[in-house]
Amino acid sequence: MGINKEKYQELITELNGKATLVAVSKTKPVEDILELYNLGHRDFGENYVQELTQKQEQLPKDIRWHFIGHLQSNKVKYIAPFVHLIHGVDSNNLLKEINKQAAKNSRVIDCLLQVYIAKEETKFGLDEMELHELLQVTAINELTNILINGFMGMASFSDNTNLVRNEFRYLRSLFDKYAEPQTSPALVGIKPQTTNLKLQTLSMGMSADYKIALEEGSNMVRIGSLLFGSR
Ligand SMILES: *Cc1c(COP(=O)(O)O)cnc(C)c1O
């Protein structure tokens, strides 16, 4: 029990302000979260709605909660009042529901689109075609209570660092392709003035592969076991 403070300081130094550290606290007690909070940390990630809402009630209100799991539409309402960033958005319907619940709470919710990049396993996310379609068809600028802030991806769980690197590199290339709507040929047909498509965040990298992710341009890493111990 307890957090690895040395590792935390090491990570902060290593990230050096170039990437946001989301401390993934799933399955860990509120005491552990508070320990990190008391060192000044504010970004925490959870992947179950019920666990997240319980922790949110018990913990300081200036924590920025990241939802990093697979979100079901019927549960959006529970996190909509407070969630800081939803990492795993992978459908038009989910976007619409988030927009609706955000409107009910008179706020704008930041979202990352989850892209499927892991060649070796089945993980959630949009493939390139689906991503393109979603950006094209979701009359995105009608969803005024969401901001599509970037992309998120999970690489294969593999010792093959080349494979992992290539998967991150691929996500980075998609990110670059859509991040500059004014100049991107990929975005012909997408209104560049769309104000709620503002790609800034590239969420990739976990305990085992964050170093590679950083080398490949990640600016947000989601790290659990290195900080909190294995689950
Ligand atoms: C659990 C989880 C993490 C953190 O995993 P660690 O290997 O413990 O760092 C990151 N991202 C997602 C989506 C997760 O579910």
Side-chain angles (χ1 to χ4, degrees):
M1 277 304 176
I3 60 154
N4 188 337
K5 290 190 181 167
E6 257 168 47
K7 192 72 217 179
Y8 176 67
Q9 298 301 354
E10 219 178 282
L11 268 170
I12 292 298
T13 307
E14 190 177 0
L15 299 176
N16 191 23
K18 290 195 279 276
T20 302
L21 171 62
V22 178
V24 177
S25 48
K26 61 190 186 195
T27 77
K28 299 298 176 181
V30 291
E31 291 75 22
D32 287 5
I33 298 175
L34 267 180
E35 233 184 293
L36 210 50
Y37 178 89
N38 288 332
L39 294 177
H41 201 72
R42 292 295 179 270
D43 290 275
F44 291 90
E46 291 282 339
N47 67 343
Y48 289 105
V49 167
Q50 198 183 355
E51 187 177 344
L52 171 54
T53 53
Q54 283 172 357
K55 286 175 172 171
Q56 192 270 340
E57 278 170 25
Q58 296 175 60
L59 285 160
K61 296 301 172 260
D62 61 341
I63 286 181
R64 293 184 289 267
W65 290 106
H66 296 245
F67 189 81
I68 62 171
H70 187 68
L71 184 57
Q72 291 168 286
S73 291
N74 61 349
K75 298 203 170 153
V76 174
K77 57 178 176 283
Y78 301 115
I79 63 171
F82 64 85
V83 70
H84 174 68
L85 179 62
I86 299 177
H87 288 232
V89 179
D90 62 357
S91 77
N92 195 10
N93 279 342
L94 185 54
L95 270 182
K96 282 189 194 155
E97 179 62 18
I98 295 169
N99 185 67
K100 182 174 147 195
Q101 297 300 334
K104 276 193 187 168
N105 287 279
S106 309
R107 59 185 297 238
V108 172
I109 295 181
D110 285 10
C111 299
L112 304 180
L113 298 179
Q114 183 167 358
V115 184
Y116 169 83
I117 57 170
K119 307 278 183 270
E120 282 201 344
E121 38 217 291
T122 38
K123 289 222 171 98
F124 294 111
L126 303 152
D127 65 25
E128 188 167 351
M129 193 78 124
E130 290 165 336
L131 176 70
H132 193 71
E133 267 171 36
L134 192 146
L135 290 172
Q136 298 261 15
V137 303
T138 315
I140 288 180
N141 32 9
E142 284 167 27
L143 304 180
T144 51
N145 290 82
I146 56 159
L147 179 69
I148 298 181
N149 197 270
F151 295 163
M152 178 270 221
M154 290 169 84
S156 295
F157 188 71
S158 166
D159 291 336
N160 182 344
T161 54
N162 271 335
L163 175 78
V164 170
R165 184 178 297 283
N166 282 331
E167 290 172 353
F168 285 144
R169 192 167 288 180
Y170 169 65
L171 182 56
R172 167 69 190 273
S173 74
L174 287 178
F175 181 77
D176 288 345
K177 188 162 140 183
Y178 291 99
E180 302 283 352
Q182 280 76 5
T183 57
S184 170
L187 280 171
V188 172
I190 298 179
K191 301 180 186 76
Q193 71 272 27
T194 299
T195 50
N196 54 355
L197 177 63
K198 207 168 265 156
L199 301 187
Q200 294 167 325
T201 302
L202 185 54
S203 168
M204 56 186 200
M206 308 171 36
S207 291
D209 56 20
Y210 78 91
K211 284 179 195 282
I212 304 174
L214 289 171
E215 286 166 9
E216 296 305 326
S218 167
N219 60 17
M220 186 173 279
V221 293
R222 308 175 311 270
I223 294 184
S225 44
L226 269 187
L227 293 169
F228 294 100
S230 57
R231 289 178 296 272

